[in-house]
């Protein structure tokens, strides 16, 4: 996070380059940014290359054939316009066609083939739907044409194989890492992401990480455990009070790792800075880009404004926490099917987020403001899929928007 500083690339330097960016970091850049190789620094005053319009198109609702649980956790989409809604409570995946009509539900609660105790992630590949259950440490594979269950892949760490370099450290820290995220690779295998998001106390929060491993589907074994490693914080606030321990995740002012993967590219950012590093699917660093955007200041009032009717426990936790000077530079990132980054940023208005759309090289393509309770979960083809958390009625609304980027 910037501490009331704002870094600029000089106008003359930008003019000489003729492209509005610099491949050489300016001396005033933070030290951890200066040392990056293949770094592009953009001006904070960069203007979007295009305008963007988003038009509501389809809303996915309960029908006589399907009832949603109270928490739709994630949305995936495929190239044919079908949407896959991860129903965390019901432990199912609801499938809708391109017209928004309900098709069927995939999976159910249970311990059998194609059944789930918990769903953490879904991925729609070219031929298959892949569903991760971290409780049973398996990835279930379904045919994308008829949604018949084809196979369960056991992604447990086999003690007979070479141990990951992080295994002993994490166990000594009192944490138990499970697969909690994954991405299909171009060769049909997976990158599996290990972490332990279960927080029951504050003293073992430091040192938690995301660990990336390669899983080979044919042999059903891990062939590599050192692809990438990022810090995990979960944006967690842990507050002890008279009635016990209060744990709150994704606090708006906390820092955390954000990453996404598609088309052989993985993009990573630590929310302290508007800085993104790009890797290939083997974990090799490619390049990075940085914008010195100014960030809103944090006060107790501003921190609490991001909650709808915060409880006394939340108020006490924020009041007793050490607040940073500013909010993070961004709070989430996702990659679309064309390897564009969609990045949400906190503004001084807690009811509005600023979304920035950038290409994989970091050029600012477009930006727009959206309600902060409307979260983009997937972007595929010409569609944006968003979950809106309506606190007033206590339900979620899942909407598909058509978007278009055009010359200003």
């Amino acid at each position: 996070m910037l501490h009331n500083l704002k870094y600029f690339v000089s106008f003359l330097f930008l003019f000489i380059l003729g492209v509005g960016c610099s491949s050489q970091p300016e001396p005033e850049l933070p030290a951890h940014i200066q040392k990056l190789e293949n770094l592009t620094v953009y001006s904070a005053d960069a203007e979007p290359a295009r305008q963007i319009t988003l038009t509501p198109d389809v809303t996915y609702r309960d029908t006589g054939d399907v009832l949603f649980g109270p928490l739709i956790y994630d949305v995936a989409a495929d190239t044919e316009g079908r949407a896959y809604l991860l129903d965390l409570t019901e432990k199912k995946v609801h499938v809708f066609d391109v017209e928004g009509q309900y098709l069927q539900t995939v999976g159910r609660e249970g311990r059998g083939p194609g059944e789930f105790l918990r769903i953490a992630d879904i991925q729609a590949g070219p031929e298959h739907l892949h569903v991760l259950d971290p409780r049973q440490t398996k990835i279930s594979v379904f045919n994308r044409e008829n949604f018949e269950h084809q196979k369960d892949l056991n992604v447990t760490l086999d003690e007979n194989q070479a141990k990951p370099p992080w295994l002993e450290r994490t166990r000594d820290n009192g944490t138990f890492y499970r697969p909690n995220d994954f991405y299909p690779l171009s060769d049909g295998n997976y990158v599996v992401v290990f972490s332990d998001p279960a927080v029951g106390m504050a003293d073992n929060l430091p040192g938690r990480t995301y660990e990336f491993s390669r899983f080979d589907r044919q042999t059903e074994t891990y062939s590599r455990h050192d692809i990438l490693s990022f810090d995990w914080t979960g944006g967690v606030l842990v507050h002890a009070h008279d009635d016990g321990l209060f744990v709150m995740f994704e606090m708006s002012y906390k820092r955390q790792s954000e990453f996404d993967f598609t088309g052989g590219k993985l993009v990573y950012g630590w929310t302290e800075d508007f800085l993104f590093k790009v890797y290939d699917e083997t974990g090799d660093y490619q390049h990075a880009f940085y914008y010195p955007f100014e960030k809103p200041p944090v006060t107790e009032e501003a921190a609490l404004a991001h909650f709808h009717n915060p409880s006394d426990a939340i108020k006490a936790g924020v009041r007793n926490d050490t607040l940073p000077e500013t909010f993070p530079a961004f709070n989430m990132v996702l990659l679309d099917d064309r390897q564009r980054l969609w990045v949400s940023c906190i503004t001084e208005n807690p009811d509005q987020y600023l979304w920035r759309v950038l290409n994989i090289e970091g050029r600012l393509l477009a930006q727009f403001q959206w309600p902060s309770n409307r979260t983009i979960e997937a972007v595929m083809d010409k569609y944006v899929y968003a979950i809106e958390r309506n606190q007033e009625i206590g339900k979620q609304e899942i909407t598909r928007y058509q978007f278009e980027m055009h010359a200003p």
Side-chain angles (χ1 to χ4, degrees):
M1 180 176 292
L2 300 178
H3 297 282
N4 295 327
L5 295 176
K6 188 177 182 182
Y7 304 103
F8 292 92
V9 180
S10 71
F11 173 79
L12 179 60
F13 197 29
L14 295 176
F15 179 80
I16 293 172
L17 283 176
V19 294
C21 62
S22 168
S23 59
Q24 298 294 326
E26 290 293 284
E28 67 269 30
L29 293 176
H32 68 281
I33 297 178
Q34 288 186 40
K35 66 182 182 181
L36 288 173
E37 297 180 359
N38 201 14
L39 168 70
T40 302
V41 179
Y42 290 87
S43 169
D45 298 323
E47 291 292 330
R50 304 175 187 175
Q51 291 181 344
I52 188 169
T53 56
L54 295 102
T55 306
D57 181 50
V58 168
T59 298
Y60 306 98
R61 295 187 173 94
D62 298 339
T63 71
D65 298 316
V66 61
L67 293 176
F68 297 163
L71 183 58
I72 300 298
Y73 182 71
D74 195 8
V75 178
D78 64 26
T79 54
E80 297 177 13
R82 286 180 293 198
Y84 304 86
L85 279 55
L86 192 167
D87 194 324
L88 187 68
T89 309
E90 298 297 319
K91 304 173 181 65
K92 299 174 180 178
V93 178
H94 306 301
V95 187
F96 291 81
D97 68 15
V98 67
E99 302 297 329
Q101 299 300 311
Y102 170 73
L103 289 177
Q104 69 177 82
T105 293
V106 176
R108 62 183 180 183
E109 184 173 5
R111 298 179 180 270
E115 297 178 343
F116 311 112
L117 296 180
R118 181 176 179 270
I119 302 177
D121 194 13
I122 51 177
Q123 299 285 344
E127 299 179 359
H128 300 99
L129 177 68
H130 312 263
V131 185
L132 172 64
D133 182 342
R135 288 277 302 276
Q136 300 185 86
T137 56
K138 71 176 184 180
I139 295 175
S140 296
V141 182
F142 299 86
N143 186 298
R144 221 187 68 182
E145 292 302 315
N146 54 25
F147 300 107
E148 290 184 0
H149 175 254
Q150 292 199 328
K151 192 175 187 180
D152 282 348
L153 297 167
N154 182 0
V155 292
T156 304
L157 286 174
D158 189 337
E159 293 290 347
N160 296 320
Q161 299 179 45
K163 293 182 179 180
W166 43 263
L167 186 61
E168 184 175 351
R169 168 181 60 82
T170 59
R171 289 180 175 175
D172 289 344
N173 194 38
T175 52
F176 183 74
Y177 279 30
R178 292 177 179 267
N180 280 292
D181 207 347
F182 78 108
Y183 303 102
L185 297 174
S186 58
D187 60 6
N189 297 307
Y190 300 121
V191 165
V192 177
V193 186
F194 288 84
S195 63
D196 182 1
V199 177
M201 53 187 178
D203 58 2
N204 70 350
L205 270 175
R208 292 186 184 223
T209 54
Y210 293 106
E211 301 292 342
F212 291 67
S213 298
R214 177 188 171 91
F215 183 85
D216 293 336
R217 290 178 61 183
Q218 294 299 318
T219 61
E220 297 193 30
T221 59
Y222 287 95
S223 60
R224 184 180 170 189
H225 285 298
D226 60 346
I227 295 177
L228 287 167
S229 178
F230 301 137
D231 289 340
W232 183 94
T233 67
V236 177
L237 170 63
V238 180
H239 172 62
H241 55 91
D242 293 340
D243 296 327
L245 199 66
F246 170 78
V247 180
M248 187 72 184
F249 292 86
E250 297 183 357
M251 300 295 289
S252 61
Y253 57 87
K254 297 282 189 179
R255 274 61 176 159
Q256 59 188 22
S257 288
E258 289 290 331
F259 53 85
D260 201 8
F261 177 95
T262 191
K265 298 291 185 182
L266 187 144
V267 171
Y268 165 78
W270 177 253
T271 58
E272 172 78 12
D273 302 297
F274 204 94
L275 169 71
F276 292 96
K277 301 176 185 178
V278 180
Y279 302 82
D280 66 18
E281 63 180 34
T282 66
D284 290 336
Y285 171 77
Q286 303 292 298
H287 66 272
F289 58 87
Y290 170 70
Y291 281 85
F293 291 128
E294 191 172 13
K295 296 168 284 189
V298 171
T299 63
E300 181 181 319
E301 180 182 5
L304 290 173
H306 287 264
F307 294 92
H308 179 76
N309 294 327
S311 66
D312 290 340
I314 292 176
K315 293 178 181 178
V318 171
R319 189 177 304 116
N320 288 279
D321 198 14
T322 301
L323 299 179
E325 293 184 23
T326 65
F327 284 100
F330 70 97
N331 60 348
M332 71 164 289
V333 59
L334 64 85
L335 278 172
D336 68 15
D337 57 318
R338 298 187 182 182
Q339 296 184 339
R340 293 172 297 210
L341 289 74
W342 296 66
V343 186
S344 63
C345 304
I346 292 173
T347 68
E348 292 189 2
N349 180 357
D351 296 326
Q352 295 286 322
Y353 280 168
L354 174 65
W355 283 85
R356 294 185 170 105
V357 185
L358 310 101
N359 68 12
I360 198 68
E361 301 299 328
R363 185 186 181 201
L364 182 61
L365 300 178
Q367 62 185 29
F368 60 96
Q369 295 214 9
W370 247 22
S372 56
N373 66 344
R374 186 184 300 165
T375 305
I376 296 176
E377 298 291 342
V379 181
M380 173 67 72
D381 191 20
K382 59 182 177 181
Y383 298 121
V384 167
Y385 300 81
I387 297 177
E388 182 170 352
R389 294 163 179 84
N390 191 324
Q391 301 287 355
E392 297 296 334
I393 64 175
K395 293 193 68 174
Q396 293 176 312
E397 296 177 352
I398 301 92
T399 304
R400 185 182 75 191
Y401 296 79
Q402 286 196 37
F403 78 91
E404 180 183 358
M405 283 192 283
H406 47 85

